[in-house]
Amino acid sequence: DISVLIPCYNQSKYVKTAVSSCLKQTQKPKQVLVLLMDNDSYNIKSELESMSDIVKCYCEPQMNVCKARTYLAEKCKTDWLIFLDADDFILRDFIKKLDESDAAVVCPNHINLTSKELTLNINELQIESGTTSQNLTSLMHRDVFFNIGLKEEFCLGGEDFDFWLSLWEKKKWKIDYIKDVYYIYVIKTLDISDGLSLSHTEDFYNKLFTCLSYHKKLLLEGVEYSPFLKDKLKEKWALETSTKEALYK
């Protein structure tokens, strides 16, 4: 059995689409748990829960994404879980195809979609590839999540990358990457009033850089990581030092 866990802060106008994409799966999840953390989201609790008996919503004050995901994982009654951002959504065979793997962690591919492109046909979009998803939208056993955990010092700027790098460092679980399974990663213009992430700010990249430096041994060994991350860090590294090796002396 699999549960989908959706933290929602200031994303009330998107979260119904996220929940609906879970309910339309060819292999339905056992639970869809949604953590609502703002007044507009509180107001749609009944509407969300009326969509299906498997949808359960919790209303709590705002908390950071690390605490929100952990909160939902603790509420989850299944051994397997998938985290989904409230403004993203999954395609119909997402759960079924990931569940076919025998790995403890199964990573999908993703399609980047701007808010202005939401009406485009999926086949018209450029598909991004990498070694992990942009975030924790992957199938994993709950023991993996609680063993690795999310470091709050990297919250809103590297907590997801830290999770993946910590997972690789431990070399304890089988990890599978399914390139032909997709979720939709919606990219919106940064609007603080809309409660969006800091993913385009200097603070985000500073935290991301600190996160990667924390895992310097793994990176210097040549582990493959997201092209998105490589491109952003090239400029940062160039400002700090002429080589990666010098950076870590």
Side-chain angles (χ1 to χ4, degrees), residues 62-97:
Q62 179 192 357
M63 61 184 81
N64 65 48
V65 67
C66 297
K67 289 182 177 178
R69 287 173 175 163
T70 302
Y71 176 99
L72 287 171
E74 290 173 345
K75 296 288 187 183
C76 175
K77 295 180 180 179
T78 62
D79 287 335
W80 294 89
L81 52 88
I82 296 171
F83 290 103
L84 179 63
D85 287 354
D87 55 345
D88 296 341
F89 55 96
I90 54 181
L91 301 186
R92 289 180 63 86
D93 289 332
F94 185 86
I95 293 178
K96 179 179 181 293
K97 289 185 176 180

Side-chain angles (χ1 to χ4, degrees), residues 94-243:
F94 185 86
I95 293 178
K96 179 179 181 293
K97 289 185 176 180
L98 293 189
D99 196 33
E100 290 173 354
S101 171
D102 63 353
V105 180
V106 191
C107 303
N109 209 327
H110 67 276
I111 297 171
N112 286 340
L113 192 65
T114 69
S115 56
K116 293 182 179 180
E117 296 172 326
L118 286 175
T119 59
L120 289 181
N121 186 287
I122 293 300
N123 295 325
E124 298 174 357
L125 302 175
Q126 180 180 1
I127 295 172
E128 300 287 338
S129 63
T131 55
T132 72
S133 49
Q134 291 273 74
N135 48 37
L136 293 193
T137 305
S138 300
L139 175 65
M140 69 183 74
H141 196 278
R142 61 183 295 117
D143 290 348
V144 176
F145 175 75
F146 284 111
N147 191 288
I148 300 295
L150 295 172
K151 296 184 179 69
E152 289 193 40
E153 60 264 36
F154 299 138
C155 197
L156 289 182
E159 73 280 353
D160 296 335
F161 286 111
D162 173 72
F163 181 91
W164 295 119
L165 291 169
S166 297
L167 182 66
W168 290 331
E169 284 173 334
K170 293 207 173 209
K171 299 177 180 178
K172 184 177 178 181
W173 298 279
K174 180 179 179 180
I175 306 170
D176 202 358
Y177 178 55
I178 313 296
K179 291 187 177 182
D180 63 346
V181 179
Y182 307 102
Y183 71 93
I184 309 302
Y185 183 80
V186 179
I187 302 173
K188 301 188 291 297
T189 303
L190 184 66
D191 181 355
I192 298 300
S193 67
D194 201 29
L196 305 185
S197 74
L198 301 178
S199 57
H200 297 287
T201 68
E202 184 64 22
D203 180 57
F204 171 84
Y205 293 119
N206 285 337
K207 287 185 178 180
L208 198 56
F209 185 65
T210 302
C211 168
L212 270 291
S213 298
Y214 181 84
H215 296 279
K216 59 185 179 182
K217 183 176 184 297
L218 184 68
L219 292 173
L220 290 175
E221 288 174 352
V223 68
E224 184 181 1
Y225 53 104
S226 168
F228 157 80
L229 186 55
K230 285 182 179 178
D231 291 343
K232 295 303 180 184
L233 289 180
K234 279 180 183 177
E235 180 181 355
K236 180 71 174 179
W237 275 330
L239 294 174
E240 298 286 338
T241 182
S242 59
T243 66

